[in-house]
Amino acid sequence: MIRTRKTPPIFAVGVISLLVISCYLLVFRDGELGQQHVAKATTVSDIRGLVAMSREIAAMKKLPLITLANEGFLAVTHSWLCNTLRMHVHEQVIVIATDEKAYMDLKEGWPHVRIYRYNTTQEMTGSYTFGANGYRILLLLRVRILLELLKHDVSFLLFETDCVWLRNPLPVLDAYAGYDVVGAQLGHTLDYRDARGEDAPMATKNFSVNFMLVRATEGGVALWEKMASRLQRHIGSEWEQNIVDFLCKQRFGGVNCELFPYSKIADGIWYMMVEGARNRLAARPYVINNNYIKGVENKIKRAKENRHWFLKDERNCDLEMVDGLTRFQ
């Protein structure tokens, strides 16, 4: 059982903000608006337990690694936990489960991983398609939860489990001690299928939030707070990573930002590159994020095709795959 410590009752503003978002979700379903969804509201939790978990990890002189999961993302999350089984990072991981099915399933399957149950509405259980209203609200909710952590002096690495860790990337972070925000960068989306393998693909120098180190410094908190505010005002038209990219390049609030090399933290464009471009940009990265593809089933299919899937079935790790692929550190 995970033990938590008592923390001061200073969460009122954060809880109110999260309540507003959760209620907003009820009237912003995919393709429709309607007050009838308000009746589906459930109790909204505070995040004292999440802060306590994060502080437990920090007390071990380690950085919390934080991700979200719901029922629709369970298989992907199980696969990532199998992928990293031997990397000695699970003691730093916190999975924020946004529904009871995900919470119970992950607690049972991974008793030594910190699973935090965040109470929200039943709308948060689906495997949302990229760009859908529910997907946007889930991202906004994640942003607001993480903002509360930053305000309580918790730094973290935000990551998503639809990825493969070919090697433990945490040693890479050691080179960025002086930065407030360090993010993965987006790959170039043009000409990546060039059959001749010419040098068309390149990194864009634009920030992505699917693998991002955020420190609870003055600059880090200022950027995240501004991003959260702007994202909430423009939930239907802006993405959090575009806002982060803009604020970082403007050095908003004095924030000091940097990008991880694409050769170390790659994105889904990696899967689309011809061999020549892949060898030039990221021959063997630490992390490959399985994005630039819509739908959980399509993500799983691509992972399996590239031997980046680590489940034998719903609950059991394919240890042969893990041992055959991963360079343990």
Side-chain angles (χ1 to χ4, degrees):
M1 180 177 293
I2 299 166
R3 296 179 179 177
T4 59
R5 296 192 297 271
K6 291 184 179 180
T7 53
I10 55 178
F11 296 83
V13 174
V15 173
I16 291 171
S17 297
L18 297 175
L19 177 59
V20 169
I21 294 170
S22 295
C23 291
Y24 184 36
L25 170 65
L26 298 173
V27 294
F28 196 69
R29 294 188 62 196
D30 296 347
E32 61 182 75
L33 299 172
Q35 290 295 324
Q36 67 270 25
H37 304 303
V38 174
K40 297 179 181 178
T42 59
T43 302
V44 176
S45 69
D46 61 43
I47 61 165
R48 283 175 288 188
L50 181 58
V51 171
M53 286 182 180
S54 302
R55 288 176 175 167
E56 287 175 354
I57 295 170
M60 299 187 294
K61 307 299 183 184
K62 296 181 181 294
L63 180 72
L65 315 177
I66 299 181
T67 192
L68 264 70
N70 65 3
E71 182 178 350
F73 227 54
L74 266 177
V76 170
T77 302
H78 280 304
S79 181
W80 180 84
L81 287 165
C82 290
N83 169 201
T84 55
L85 182 63
R86 304 199 198 281
M87 291 188 184
H88 309 292
V89 298
H90 285 187
E91 65 180 352
Q92 297 173 245
V93 172
I94 301 175
V95 181
I96 301 173
T98 59
D99 60 74
E100 192 67 13
K101 167 67 174 174
Y103 175 74
M104 296 303 297
D105 199 84
L106 290 167
K107 285 287 286 185
E108 181 181 348
W110 302 94
H112 302 298
V113 176
R114 289 172 172 83
I115 313 297
Y116 177 74
R117 174 69 168 99
Y118 180 77
N119 293 316
T120 182
T121 72
Q122 65 184 58
E123 312 293 332
M124 303 294 282
T125 62
S127 54
Y128 298 112
T129 302
F130 177 83
N133 293 340
Y135 180 86
R136 289 179 180 272
I137 290 295
L138 186 62
L139 293 185
L140 176 58
L141 183 61
R142 179 179 70 176
V143 165
R144 298 295 302 186
I145 291 172
L146 295 177
L147 176 59
E148 292 305 310
L149 285 182
L150 290 170
K151 288 180 176 180
H152 288 86
D153 200 30
V154 174
S155 302
F156 53 82
L157 177 74
L158 170 62
F159 74 100
E160 297 177 359
T161 56
D162 55 337
C163 67
V164 58
W165 285 21
L166 301 179
R167 294 176 282 168
N168 181 355
L170 299 188
V172 174
L173 276 55
D174 294 341
Y176 299 93
Y179 294 94
D180 303 307
V181 176
V182 188
Q185 55 183 301
L186 300 175
H188 199 290
T189 59
L190 300 176
D191 299 326
Y192 49 75
R193 293 193 181 91
D194 187 342
R196 296 167 294 176
E198 295 181 353
D199 288 347
M202 59 181 293
T204 63
K205 305 296 183 183
N206 291 335
F207 283 81
S208 169
V209 299
N210 54 15
F211 188 93
M212 178 166 280
L213 170 63
V214 186
R215 290 196 170 91
T217 56
E218 183 177 349
V221 175
L223 178 143
W224 207 261
E225 189 167 33
K226 181 67 173 178
M227 182 264 285
S229 174
R230 180 166 159 181
L231 183 63
Q232 188 161 352
R233 291 197 310 271
H234 304 285
I235 183 63
S237 60
E238 291 202 78
W239 296 105
E240 80 276 39
Q241 65 188 21
N242 295 338
I243 302 172
V244 168
D245 184 74
F246 174 81
L247 295 175
C248 273
K249 290 174 179 176
Q250 296 294 316
R251 293 185 58 85
F252 175 83
V255 67
N256 192 13
C257 300
E258 185 55 278
L259 288 162
F260 292 114
Y262 190 87
S263 61
K264 294 182 178 179
I265 312 297
D267 63 5
I269 298 299
W270 187 92
Y271 289 107
M272 308 175 194
M273 292 178 183
V274 295
E275 185 176 0
R278 185 181 293 175
N279 288 339
R280 179 178 60 84
L281 282 177
R284 196 170 193 275
Y286 286 77
V287 174
I288 306 170
N289 288 299
N290 190 3
N291 51 8
Y292 285 100
I293 188 170
K294 289 188 176 183
V296 172
E297 292 304 318
N298 290 328
K299 289 176 180 286
I300 293 173
K301 181 175 182 290
R302 182 161 73 176
K304 289 179 176 179
E305 290 172 350
N306 288 273
R307 298 181 62 80
H308 291 167
W309 189 252
F310 303 94
L311 285 177
K312 279 187 176 179
D313 49 48
E314 288 185 1
R315 299 300 296 273
N316 295 303
C317 297
D318 189 336
L319 295 180
E320 190 173 328
M321 282 290 296
V322 172
D323 294 340
L325 176 67
T326 309
R327 179 187 303 169
F328 305 132
Q329 295 184 357

